[in-house]
Amino acid sequence: MFDLANWKNPETLMLNITNSALGIAAFVLIAWICGEAIREFVLQRRESHRKH
């Protein structure tokens, strides 16, 4: 079995790069979704305060 943490091994280098890129993309998308949800919550809260 080969060691996946070995960045010098050419057999696992592309796998590690791909997994790193997907991990970063997933983190960015989750942060974006959470940020948009918070923004929508704040906007709805402001709208409800204006009507009252």
Side-chain angles (χ1 to χ4, degrees):
M1 197 72 187
F2 49 86
D3 186 18
L4 290 177
N6 185 3
W7 287 84
K8 294 178 183 175
N9 185 352
E11 292 179 355
T12 60
L13 180 62
M14 285 307 295
L15 178 65
N16 286 333
I17 291 172
T18 302
N19 284 341
S20 297
L22 288 173
I24 291 168
F27 178 76
V28 167
L29 289 173
I30 289 170
W32 184 14
I33 290 168
C34 289
E36 288 296 316
I38 292 169
R39 188 178 72 83
E40 282 293 320
F41 176 76
V42 169
L43 289 175
Q44 286 180 2
R45 193 132 166 108
R46 284 184 188 164
E47 284 293 320
S48 67
H49 283 279
R50 285 184 192 163
K51 292 178 181 176
H52 292 211

